[in-house]
Amino acid sequence: MKFLVLIYGNPESRAVWDSMTDEQKKEGMAGYAALHEALAVQGELVASESLDAPELTKQVLVRDGKPMTTDGPFAEVKEQLAGFYLLDCDSMDRAVEIVAQIPEAPFSVVEVRPVRDLSAFS
């Protein structure tokens, strides 16, 4: 089963990151590297990326066959999507176990969403 893990940043989580020393930031990144390696070895990691600032986002609407863009950010909420994992693991319970290992999870909001299998329509 595939699961999309969405990691949301907010002012508090950004403040935690900003208050860390360079050494603490390196340790946090080493935690991510170790998690990526473990998930890859287990065959559970499909993809993982950190996303750039919401201010660099473009929203695209296609109307009458023509794309129209608007600069971001768009959501009027504190939380903004900061990164994601696409996992291929046995269950929702396993996906939640993996989330507990994400270094940022203790001070962020993380959502786990099953990926729909639409292969029957191919």
Side-chain angles (χ1 to χ4, degrees):
M1 297 179 66
K2 289 186 181 168
F3 297 90
L4 184 61
V5 175
L6 302 169
I7 303 168
Y8 292 91
N10 56 51
E12 292 80 21
S13 65
R14 285 187 291 277
V16 169
W17 177 258
D18 291 341
S19 70
M20 290 180 174
T21 65
D22 286 347
E23 187 60 35
Q24 289 172 317
K25 289 177 182 178
K26 286 179 186 177
E27 288 174 21
M29 296 310 294
Y32 274 107
L35 177 58
H36 289 190
E37 184 177 332
L39 293 173
V41 166
Q42 295 169 16
E44 295 176 314
L45 180 63
V46 176
S48 176
E49 294 292 341
S50 176
L51 302 177
D52 215 330
E55 296 80 24
L56 301 175
T57 302
K58 290 218 181 270
Q59 185 178 64
V60 181
L61 299 173
V62 178
R63 299 296 181 262
D64 297 322
K66 296 178 183 162
M68 299 181 298
T69 63
T70 306
D71 293 336
F74 308 100
E76 295 295 327
V77 296
K78 286 184 183 180
E79 284 81 23
Q80 297 285 343
L81 187 59
F84 70 91
Y85 283 85
L86 180 57
L87 305 174
D88 191 352
C89 56
D90 293 333
S91 66
M92 175 66 84
D93 289 340
R94 174 62 184 144
V96 170
E97 286 176 20
I98 292 168
V99 167
Q101 299 172 55
I102 296 173
E104 198 171 344
F107 51 89
S108 295
V109 175
V110 182
E111 176 182 334
V112 178
R113 185 178 298 184
V115 174
R116 259 195 279 180
D117 180 4
L118 299 175
S119 61
F121 303 107
S122 303

